[in-house]
Amino acid sequence: MDESQGLGIPTVELANGFNIPILGLGTSHDGGYSHSSVIYALKECGIRHIDTAKRYGCESYLKKAIRESGVNRESLWITTKLWPGDYGYGTTKAACLESCRNLGVDYIDLYLMHWPDANVPGKTNRELRAETWQAIEELYDEGICRSIGVSNFLISHLEQLKEDCDIIPHVNQAEYHPFQKPQELVDYCRSQGIVFEGYCPLAKGLALSHPDIIKKAEKYKCTPAQICIRWSIQNGIVTIPKSTKKERIWENCQVFDFSLSEEDMVSLNSLKNNSKIITLKFPLWKEH
């Protein structure tokens, strides 16, 4: 892994040669954005990777925060996502350009399809994914999107996309934490050259009270959140914890000065699996 600008946050190389910081700051809707905290993350914590989405409604706020932070655009990695309501060839292109305007950028570092399904009358989800991905491929060829990927896709969705389109996604972003570790999906992505990115690394706070995680935090003289984030990163997962509190953002970044032992990694990898926190009706995650 290389290191990004900022405070030495390592990066992971994508199949197209671009390097994504392995740690980012997640945003969301419903109170998941704090203007001053984003500026703090950029200026004081060395964060250079920001994850957002059209659905979250904060792209235009991020434009202002980035400008106020004084951080150079070229040193930033900005990910945003296409909402299923915009799936389709023409609407995808229009939505991407709208996100660029909202963010105040000429290009997006990583553009993701937010979910595999959209349930549009008259088209199968597979047909709509292929049509949408074709538009994203063209945005990539034009340099408007420097890297492209998907979010919440299962192996079956990725296999279909590989058959229907030309470019394999550079990234698949999905839920990943000690209680939800979809190793079959991670292994498949790696076999295809797809970098796996994990959101919800603290299981929306549920992991912070687990006795095994608390015990390890005491052992390493750190916090349960740092144990979860370090575990995810040490598993090679690009990790995007979300917080609007400055002290938590700082805490979440202090995970590169220690390593978990092999024994502790095995222990955390063995915690109860298949406990999804994000429970929208799609995707239909395979239980195993």
Side-chain angles (χ1 to χ4, degrees):
M1 282 185 280
D2 292 328
E3 289 190 351
S4 69
Q5 297 182 46
L7 297 182
I9 294 175
T11 62
V12 176
E13 185 176 0
L14 304 184
N16 62 353
F18 283 102
N19 290 286
I20 181 172
I22 200 167
L23 179 68
L25 175 66
T27 62
S28 73
H29 55 301
D30 295 334
Y33 177 83
S34 165
H35 189 73
S36 62
S37 293
V38 170
I39 296 172
Y40 176 80
L42 292 169
K43 292 184 69 173
E44 306 298 335
C45 302
I47 285 290
R48 294 295 180 265
H49 174 183
I50 302 290
D51 182 275
T52 190
K54 176 180 179 179
R55 173 73 175 87
Y56 305 159
C58 58
E59 289 176 333
S60 59
Y61 301 133
L62 282 168
K63 172 184 177 179
K64 184 179 178 184
I66 291 168
R67 184 174 66 245
E68 292 180 12
S69 76
V71 174
N72 210 317
R73 168 65 183 103
E74 287 68 34
S75 69
L76 291 174
W77 182 280
I78 300 174
T79 297
T80 193
K81 308 177 195 75
L82 176 73
W83 188 242
D86 291 319
Y87 286 4
Y89 181 82
T91 46
T92 291
K93 288 198 166 184
C96 181
L97 294 175
E98 180 185 11
S99 285
C100 283
R101 287 192 297 271
N102 289 340
L103 288 161
V105 298
D106 297 323
Y107 64 90
I108 293 168
D109 295 278
L110 177 60
Y111 197 49
L112 304 178
M113 291 181 66
H114 207 144
W115 294 95
D117 299 337
N119 300 316
V120 173
K123 292 182 180 179
T124 66
N125 284 315
R126 179 173 182 170
E127 290 170 340
L128 191 61
R129 284 194 293 270
E131 179 184 328
T132 300
W133 191 251
Q134 180 188 351
I136 292 176
E137 287 181 335
E138 292 179 10
L139 290 163
Y140 174 69
D141 290 337
E142 295 163 6
I144 297 170
C145 302
R146 292 199 169 177
S147 302
I148 53 178
V150 295
S151 183
N152 301 301
F153 274 44
L154 300 176
I155 293 173
S156 60
H157 303 129
L158 294 166
E159 280 286 301
Q160 289 172 359
L161 208 59
K162 185 169 67 170
E163 293 172 7
D164 297 339
C165 302
D166 295 324
I167 301 174
I168 292 176
H170 301 123
V171 171
N172 184 21
Q173 183 186 113
E175 183 177 332
Y176 189 93
H177 50 75
F179 312 138
Q180 173 63 23
K181 181 173 172 284
Q183 194 59 44
E184 182 182 357
L185 179 59
V186 172
D187 291 343
Y188 172 84
C189 287
R190 288 175 175 165
S191 75
Q192 301 298 311
I194 302 169
V195 168
F196 193 92
E197 183 173 22
Y199 65 77
C200 208
L202 310 183
K204 289 192 175 293
L206 296 179
L208 305 184
S209 60
H210 192 283
D212 287 353
I213 294 172
I214 291 173
K215 184 176 180 179
K216 288 175 177 56
E218 294 170 349
K219 173 182 175 180
Y220 289 92
K221 295 181 172 55
C222 63
T223 67
Q226 289 169 332
I227 291 292
C228 293
I229 294 167
R230 180 66 210 180
W231 165 80
S232 179
I233 288 172
Q234 213 163 306
N235 273 330
I237 307 299
V238 176
T239 305
I240 45 172
K242 180 191 74 176
S243 182
T244 60
K245 295 180 172 61
K246 294 177 182 178
E247 63 273 18
R248 297 299 185 202
I249 294 171
W250 174 264
E251 172 188 321
N252 292 346
C253 293
Q254 309 311 305
V255 292
F256 298 106
D257 58 353
F258 72 99
S259 295
L260 301 175
S261 69
E262 182 177 351
E263 178 184 6
D264 288 330
M265 288 295 293
V266 169
S267 172
L268 289 168
N269 286 339
S270 302
L271 291 181
K272 182 181 178 183
N273 207 355
N274 289 324
S275 298
K276 276 194 99 271
I277 305 299
I278 307 301
T279 55
L280 293 182
K281 64 180 180 180
F282 49 88
L284 300 175
W285 290 84
K286 182 166 69 173
E287 298 290 336
H288 63 281

